[in-house]
Every structure is written in C-alpha cells, then in structure tokens.
Amino acid sequence: MPVAGARVVVPLGPRKLTGVVVGEVSAADNSYKLKNILQVLDAGAFVPPDVIKLTQWVSDYYLAGPGATLSTALPPHGLTSRVDRFKTVRMVTLTAAGLDAVDRLTAHPRCAGDDDRSDGPTLGAKQKQALQILKGLPAGLSAPALAERGIAAASVTRLTTLGYVAVREERVDRDPFEHAVGAQRPDLDTARRPLTDEQQAAMTMLTPLAAARAFHVALIHGVTGSGKTEVYLRLADEVRQSGRGVLMLVPEIALTPQVAALFRARFGAAVAIQHSGLSDGERHDQWHRIRRGDVDVVIGTRSAVFAPLSNPGLIIVDEEHDTSYKQDETPRYHGRDVAIMRGKFAGALVVIGSATPTLESYANALAGRYSLVTLNRRVLDRPMAQVQVVNMREEIAAAGAEVVLSRALREAIKVRLAEGQQSLILLNRRGFATSVLCRQCGASLECPNCSVTLTVHSNQGLPSRPVPRRLGEGGSAEREGWRGRCHYCNFTKLVPKACEQCAAPYMERIGFGTERVEAEIREAFPAARVARVDRDTVRRKGSLVEILEKVAGREIDVLIGTQMIAKGHDFPECTLVGVISADVGLGLADFRSAERTFQLLTQVAGRAGRGERPGQAIIQSLVPEHYSVRLACDQDYRAFYEKEVEFRRAMRYPPQVAMVNVVVRGKTFNEAIDGAHDLAAATRGGRGFVVLGPAPAPLTKLRGEHRAQFFLKGTSRKAMREALQLALSRKPELAKRLSVDVDPLSML
Ligand code: ADP
Ligand code: ZN
C-alpha cells in the first residue's frame, strides 16, 4: 500500500488519472465503490504528509473540494508527468589530455599545436582560447557561458572529439533571485548592528517561545520603520541553528523584494523563494529544492504556506493585514490563518506582524490568545512622518471641481524637486477617468458583461497636451484614443464621440485615476522624472522591478501609483508622500471600508522619511473629519481599533461574529435568486447562526453571469459549516453555480 502523499495512477471511468494518496479505507468499507490502483509512482511521500493534512483542513474549513485544495500544494506538472522537469545545461570541463595541451600551449605559445610537430593536432584560435579559459575552472563552464565568450558549439565539439574536453548534462535550478531588486547589493548583511531597545525586548520575549518547540502565536505590532524585519531575521537564524525550518509569508515578492534579498544576504543559498510570478520552471525547481531538504528557509506569497518544508519551527506572516493573503477563487483560504494551522500541526511559533494589524488579529492578542509585541518607535529615533490633511472641499471652492493637486501638495512636490528628493503620490484608482457620462441624457458607458461602468483609459500612453474635459472638444476621441475598459472582465471599446443613447456630443469624463494624476504632474513639473506603478504599467513581467530599481537608483523624482506603492518598500530618499484622495475606499458598501482606509493611509504615510531626513505626508480628503482619516493622520492605531471594534460589536460584524458569504450564479437573475432562495432555506434553522438574505449581490452581474447572495453570521463556524454542507448535499445541482467564501474579506 502506498503511503499518504505518494502519487498513484488510478482508473476513472475509461480514463487513467494521476492522483495523490490522502488516506486509506478498509476494503470491507462498502460506502465506496473501490477499484485497484494501477500504478504507484512514488515509493515515499511526494507531498509531505503534514502538508496533506493541512490541505484537508483547508478543504474542510473553507468548504472547498479536496482536489482543488490539494493542487495548490503541488508543484507545476506535479501530476501531469512522472518525470520531474528539471532544466539541464551542458557543462564543459577540461580532461587530463586537455590540461597537457594547455601546458604545451603555454610553454611554446607560438608554436604549440599550430604545426605538424609531434606535440599534437592543430588547434584553431578559438579552440586554444577555450582551453585557456577552462584551465582555471576545475568545475568547468556551461556551453552557454562559453558561447557568451565567443566559443561556439563547433569548437567544443572538435575539442570533445580530440578528447581535450568532456561534456556532461548537469541539472540547474532556475533561480528567481537572479533578477530580484537588491539581490546583489553588498550592504545587506546587517547581522552585527546592535538592536534597538524595543527590538531587543521583542527578542527577549520571542526567543524562548521559538525554543519551546510548541505551538504559539505572537503578533508584532510595530509602527512603519520600527525594524520588524530585523526581528524576523534574528529569530529565523536561531530557529535554523536549532535544526528546524523557517517559513516566511509576504504579500507580494515583487513589491517587497528587499525582504527576500535581506534573507538571501543573511542565509545565502539556503533560502528558497516561491510565488506566483515565477515561471513554471522556476516554481518547479524551487519546490523540489525545498522537498529535497536543500533549503531551510522558504520565503513566498500565500501559496507558499503549503511549501514542502520539513519540520518548520518558525512561521512568519509579514504584513498580516494585507488582503492579498486571501485567495479569491476556490479554495478561498487566508494564508495567515492557514499558516497558523500549519504552526499548530507542526508545533511551531507563528509570528504575524504589521503596523496596522487586522481587527481580528489584534482582538486575539488583546484576548490573550496571541502574545503581543509592540514596537512603538522607529529605529535610530527617526521621527514618524508629519501628516497634514487638506480639506478638498476648500480646494474645490478655490480652484473648481476639476482640481486634482491641492496647493499644499503642489508646493511640497516643488520643494522636493528643488532639493533633489523623491515624492510618492498615491491614488488607489487606476485609469484616466472613472467613467464617462452624457451631459444630455445621463447615459454612461457600461460593461455588457458586468454591472459596472467602464473606466476610461488613454489608448497610446498619455496625451501629450492638456486634455479637454469634454471628449468632443478639440480632436476626436478616436484620435486621442480614449478607451473604456471593464476592470472586472477586461472588456474594452473606444469611447464614442457622441452618446450612444441620444446622439448628443456631450460625453463628459467623471472622476479621475492614476493616469490623470500622472498627466497633471507632468504638466505642472515638465522637468521632473515621473513614473507610474499600477496594474496597467506593470503588466509585463519585470517591468515593476525595473521601475522600482530606477526609484532606488534615484532616476525617478515622482512615483505615482495605486496601493501597490504603499506596501513594504523602503525608499530612504523619499521624504514626501501625497495621497490624492483618501476617500476612494470609503464609499464602498463594505463594513471593512474604514479599516482598509486607515491601513492604506497609515502604511503609505509610513513610506516617508525612512532615511536620514524626516518625512512629510499630505493627505487630501473630502471628508477630513472621518475617523479613519483623522486617526491615520494621528497614526493612532489603538484609538482606531477601539472605535472600529465598537462599531463592529454594535453591528454584529467580524471579529465579533464569523461570516460566510454564499453567491449563487445563474444565466438569468431569476435563476440566480431562485437558487439562492432554495439553498438559504435549506441552510436556515441551525443553532448558533442566522441566515441573512438572499438578495442581489452588489455586483449583480459579473462576467456575463447574474448573481444573488446570502450570508451566514454567527459565533459557531462549525455549525455554519455543517448546515451548509447538509444544504448542499440536498441541492447538489447547485454546486456548479456556487461560490462559498468563509471569512470573506470582500462583500462583493
Ligand atoms: P518595518 O518593517 O518595521 O517597517 P524595517 O524592518 O523595514 O521596518 O526597518 C526600517 C529601517 O531600519 C530599515 O532600513 C532597516 O535596515 C533599519 N534598521 C532596522 N533595525 C535597525 C537597527 N537595529 N539599527 C539600525 N537600523 C536598523
Ligand atoms: Zn465586465
């Protein structure tokens, strides 16, 4: 019998499929129709048994199919092929005969080999050069590396025939670090600098917890720039030396390359990296390196929580508040919560850290379920950024409704440019305009597949001159290339010059996004070197890294972007952060909108003044009195927490209760809402939870499908899970039109 975690070939109807053994049932058990395994592919476990156990927990907790869950834990091609797909390279080394030939060449540089004397066969110049190169390299050189030095394959072939060199295929691991920002920076080894008092206190508390070899969770609440990473590094070092592995989750590697680079600098080749931006080949190789036990530190995004690392003793979740830890397709797991479960199974210390912890985590810490470590001060007594709020209602009164840059922000950017310092400008909305609207009949441009309006983007980069407000004025929309795009399904079309409903030529742009901010800044500061980071500009692989490298190399003066630029970057030269509109998220029908806004503003303000010079943040808002804006400006997490948790308690929202969001899709709205009614009715009636709805989902139509939703809300997740499982078993026909989101982060 194969062990759990081994791959096997099994019959499924007429087909043969590869699967993974998750457990055993007795042959006498007749609740299954059993068939024989055709072939066992692995003698031992391919997927480690504790990872199998973790995926089973995920599939149970999140009500997701075991197959879909298990596949998130597999490497690329994990099941499609028996042969693991390593990349190989041809390594060329000198033989003993080749060594003799080089010695002769060196002894008689002018004559050796180039005449018919008894010393040996004639060699061409390139062949001689190849021998010289290889002489100093006992491990040899790869054929591509030789080619780079002008030695073609033909020369190698001839040398092989003469017996001067040997060629063998060698496996190479594709290394995603080769191209990472900062991967080669020499100043990263900071292991010997003294810790701050707060860092030291954190170590005093965490070291015994790590050494205890028992499950425990600690939350590090450390303000931006307080040096959390150094604490992670030192703990990781201790755990490695005790012989256990370290797993570190980060929101997005491309956005926080410095963290990965720091770990590489400290621990060298023992670090593996795993994230979805890698090529299949890279991911495959990294997975197998970890599985072989070649590494003891794994850094990766969400799915790295399933990395086949044996015996993890420390699991770190950096920026635990980041929403990218939640997967928005089946299985809809939260990387932080799965990390905590993994720590529980492994008897490991789990350290989660943030400057703006989620209410859930902070509540757990206050309740004593997690240890709480607080870092209140920035390292080296650097001051927090000084934050100023600009009331945009006053700016609009002074400069008109079209104003994007307030006077204060404009002035502050100007000062930075004059002093050669960098500015970071945030607007969490991409595109040029939010939508277009016909001034005559009010029609807007809508997505045919989704219930949203199309966002306006400029077609060919940015227009070179100021853009008229009305698209009909001064040049056709086609020539200027305005394009409406759906941010959900990517449907696009050119923005028409005249309204499609009433033919009036008054299509007006409403609202603005990052493209517009870029245009305004280029216009206001023509000499500034400007770059923009949002999902539109970083579509091409590597382009984000390129931009960030330019920022780090001070080739950019003003960086504009969406929340991508608010994440953990450490730009020491940035002394100004501007927020164009703090209110973008506040209008959303989501009980977490205040928390999101507070987190985003606090995080982005934390990007300023991380170097020698103090920083300033300017936050523009139409509602400066809103508590999430006000308390972010005060950088007062605790006050925000108290206020927000009170609101959640009053409204019975998480963390007070748990929620499950169930969306039923349909070809028509009736089909969707009828299905939702049936399922909700079958779910109702249990103890410990209520069922709310069904109702049309906020996005009633998405990618051509209609959607209705209902919620389960209560204190017993177990009761909710069991009720839903039972309801689903009664309505199996709905399974294909359903998504279940346990602990949803978005209510859409
Ligand atoms: P956080 O993740 O808490 O926002 P970082 O870990 O990025 O903060 O640290 C902020 C900056 O302080 C980094 O540039 C880091 O190199 C530096 N730093 C951290 N610890 C120390 C220390 N003990 N002494 C000097 N500089 C430090
Ligand atoms: Zn759409």
Side-chain angles (χ1 to χ4, degrees):
M1 180 64 202
V3 300
R7 289 169 299 177
V8 290
V9 179
V10 291
L12 192 81
R15 294 188 297 161
K16 289 184 192 172
L17 292 179
T18 306
V20 175
V21 177
V22 296
E24 232 178 286
V25 292
S26 146
D29 184 344
N30 47 21
S31 57
Y32 298 93
K33 228 177 101 193
L34 296 175
K35 290 188 184 170
N36 286 328
I37 289 171
L38 297 176
Q39 197 185 354
V40 177
L41 297 181
D42 304 295
F46 176 68
V47 183
D50 61 318
V51 175
I52 297 276
K53 189 170 159 195
L54 191 66
T55 62
Q56 286 175 318
W57 178 83
V58 167
S59 125
D60 194 45
Y61 183 93
Y62 292 101
L63 292 161
T69 311
L70 188 61
S71 51
T72 58
L74 293 173
H77 320 299
L79 293 184
T80 50
S81 116
R82 164 149 202 206
V83 186
D84 297 319
R85 300 188 183 182
F86 291 99
K87 185 179 159 189
T88 57
V89 68
R90 298 172 60 216
M91 290 299 293
V92 184
T93 46
L94 215 54
T95 61
L99 208 57
D100 285 348
V102 188
D103 287 344
R104 283 198 306 274
L105 282 172
T106 327
H108 320 278
R110 229 164 279 126
C111 51
D114 40 5
D115 60 15
D116 273 334
R117 295 190 325 185
S118 55
D119 299 44
T122 311
L123 294 177
K126 286 289 175 198
Q127 294 158 15
K128 286 185 207 164
Q129 195 192 333
L131 293 180
Q132 296 284 9
I133 292 173
L134 290 168
K135 186 186 172 201
L137 301 168
L141 205 59
S142 71
L146 277 170
E148 261 173 38
R149 297 176 192 203
I151 314 292
S155 305
V156 175
T157 309
R158 164 130 166 96
L159 290 172
T160 316
T161 317
L162 292 173
Y164 286 176
V165 301
V167 177
R168 62 174 196 287
E169 294 280 323
E170 209 167 77
R171 196 177 71 203
V172 286
D173 287 328
R174 283 150 285 200
D175 184 355
F177 268 104
E178 272 169 15
H179 309 291
V181 174
Q184 273 85 34
R185 282 212 320 236
D187 59 331
L188 289 174
D189 189 7
T190 46
R192 270 172 296 275
R193 70 185 168 193
L195 295 179
T196 66
D197 290 350
E198 286 187 329
Q199 285 172 327
Q200 189 56 60
M203 288 303 295
T204 306
M205 179 156 177
L206 295 170
T207 302
L209 293 175
R213 296 181 169 247
F215 170 60
H216 192 90
V217 184
L219 167 65
I220 303 186
H221 173 216
V223 299
T224 54
S226 58
K228 294 185 282 298
T229 315
E230 188 59 43
V231 176
Y232 303 150
L233 282 162
R234 301 233 178 169
L235 268 182
D237 200 20
E238 286 178 3
V239 170
R240 281 181 72 220
Q241 292 191 19
S242 78
R244 300 183 80 188
V246 177
L247 179 60
M248 163 129 166
L249 301 187
V250 294
E252 237 166 310
I253 297 254
L255 293 172
T256 50
Q258 283 125 337
V259 176
L262 278 165
F263 271 78
R264 248 275 155 115
R266 193 78 56 100
F267 305 128
V271 179
I273 134 169
Q274 283 221 312
H275 64 98
S276 56
L278 302 183
S279 67
D280 269 7
E282 286 170 334
R283 270 198 299 147
H284 169 274
D285 293 1
Q286 293 297 320
W287 193 93
H288 284 275
R289 275 184 78 207
I290 302 166
R291 185 70 187 98
R292 288 196 302 266
D294 289 355
V295 301
D296 43 25
V297 181
V298 175
I299 300 182
T301 46
R302 188 176 63 222
S303 65
V305 75
F306 300 107
L309 180 72
S310 69
N311 192 17
L314 173 66
I315 303 177
I316 301 165
V317 183
D318 192 21
E319 311 289 355
E320 67 89 25
H321 66 279
D322 198 287
T323 53
S324 67
Y325 282 125
K326 177 84 175 178
Q327 173 146 301
D328 58 9
E329 58 192 51
T330 307
R332 295 169 191 272
Y333 66 95
H334 196 296
R336 175 202 57 217
D337 296 338
V338 181
I340 290 172
M341 267 332 277
R342 187 160 188 187
K344 193 167 181 175
F345 293 156
L349 171 64
V350 182
V351 175
I352 65 179
S354 174
T356 52
T358 54
L359 260 65
E360 283 82 353
S361 296
Y362 205 74
N364 278 328
L366 291 186
R369 282 184 288 273
Y370 303 167
S371 299
L372 180 62
V373 178
T374 311
L375 307 176
N376 281 316
R377 284 187 300 277
R378 283 189 162 178
V379 296
L380 305 176
D381 288 321
R382 284 174 191 149
M384 298 299 289
Q386 172 231 326
V387 187
Q388 174 192 350
V389 196
V390 174
N391 184 343
M392 287 307 278
R393 297 197 300 263
E394 289 167 11
E395 296 295 308
I396 288 170
E402 276 287 88
V403 59
V404 172
L405 297 175
S406 63
R407 292 161 291 185
L409 184 53
R410 209 177 267 268
E411 187 55 34
I413 296 173
K414 197 166 130 191
V415 170
R416 295 306 177 299
L417 288 171
E419 293 180 356
Q421 294 169 21
Q422 291 175 316
S423 307
L424 218 64
I425 309 294
L426 174 102
L427 176 61
N428 204 15
R429 193 163 57 201
R430 58 203 169 93
F432 195 90
T434 318
S435 56
V436 287
L437 196 71
C438 169
R439 262 203 332 192
Q440 179 152 301
C441 76
S444 58
L445 217 54
E446 274 166 23
C447 176
N449 311 316
C450 311
S451 47
V452 294
T453 55
L454 301 182
T455 304
V456 181
H457 289 260
S458 102
N459 221 1
Q460 307 94 15
L462 281 165
S464 50
R465 57 194 175 73
V467 187
R469 178 177 169 84
R470 266 192 275 141
L471 297 173
E473 279 169 8
S476 76
E478 285 79 5
R479 206 173 65 229
E480 283 184 342
W482 295 107
R483 203 167 254 290
R485 180 144 30 103
C486 172
H487 283 185
Y488 290 94
C489 73
N490 271 329
F491 170 86
T492 79
K493 72 188 238 180
L494 282 176
V495 175
K497 248 170 32 171
C499 175
E500 286 169 338
Q501 304 295 320
C502 72
Y506 307 126
M507 298 298 283
E508 194 167 296
R509 288 182 282 106
I510 305 293
F512 52 84
T514 44
E515 283 179 31
R516 169 76 181 280
V517 175
E518 182 181 359
E520 297 266 340
I521 287 183
R522 284 185 191 279
E523 199 191 329
F525 309 104
R529 297 165 300 172
V530 176
R532 173 163 61 88
V533 168
D534 56 28
R535 247 186 293 158
D536 300 313
T537 61
V538 302
R539 206 152 286 183
R540 188 172 53 78
K541 196 182 171 190
S543 52
L544 176 62
V545 172
E546 268 167 43
I547 299 175
L548 295 180
E549 253 168 4
K550 279 188 174 172
V551 178
R554 309 189 61 175
E555 292 168 54
I556 301 292
D557 302 312
V558 184
L559 181 66
I560 298 148
T562 53
Q563 43 87 23
M564 283 185 172
I565 63 169
K567 303 210 176 182
H569 304 290
D570 194 9
F571 294 132
E573 302 301 330
C574 167
T575 57
L576 173 69
V577 163
V579 178
I580 297 294
S581 169
D583 321 325
V584 168
L586 284 178
L588 299 177
D590 191 321
F591 70 84
R592 283 199 182 83
S593 65
E595 184 181 9
R596 290 279 154 66
T597 301
F598 177 83
Q599 285 165 349
L600 182 61
L601 296 181
T602 309
Q603 293 286 346
V604 73
R607 300 304 116 209
R610 292 166 71 91
E612 317 273 285
R613 279 179 291 267
Q616 182 193 9
I618 296 181
I619 296 180
Q620 305 185 159
S621 172
L622 286 166
V623 284
E625 56 284 341
H626 192 284
Y627 66 98
S628 61
V629 177
R630 200 163 37 77
L631 294 171
C633 293
D634 298 347
Q635 315 214 12
D636 191 344
Y637 176 82
R638 191 57 189 253
F640 176 79
Y641 172 84
E642 300 294 347
K643 179 138 183 99
E644 184 66 11
V645 94
E646 198 39 60
F647 158 74
R648 304 280 180 92
R649 211 171 275 145
M651 303 299 289
R652 288 187 61 75
Y653 278 129
Q656 175 76 6
V657 295
M659 287 177 85
V660 181
N661 182 7
V662 183
V663 173
V664 181
R665 301 180 297 269
K667 283 194 282 296
T668 62
F669 177 69
N670 281 342
E671 192 182 57
I673 194 91
D674 290 349
H677 268 295
D678 288 352
L679 196 61
T683 310
R684 272 199 176 90
R687 278 168 161 276
F689 68 93
V690 291
V691 176
L692 305 172
L699 274 168
T700 0
K701 220 175 132 199
L702 184 65
R703 294 179 201 104
E705 287 179 310
H706 295 264
R707 304 160 84 240
Q709 74 182 166
F710 64 92
F711 288 103
L712 281 67
K713 206 170 170 181
T715 46
S716 170
R717 281 196 182 78
K718 188 162 175 281
M720 294 194 279
R721 237 179 1 244
E722 284 169 0
L724 260 175
Q725 262 157 353
L726 189 66
L728 279 172
S729 68
R730 292 194 199 136
K731 305 265 163 215
E733 69 281 5
L734 284 178
K736 281 201 161 53
R737 300 200 275 124
L738 194 73
S739 39
V740 178
D741 194 351
V742 177
D743 305 334
L745 281 193
S746 157
M747 301 292 119
L748 301 179

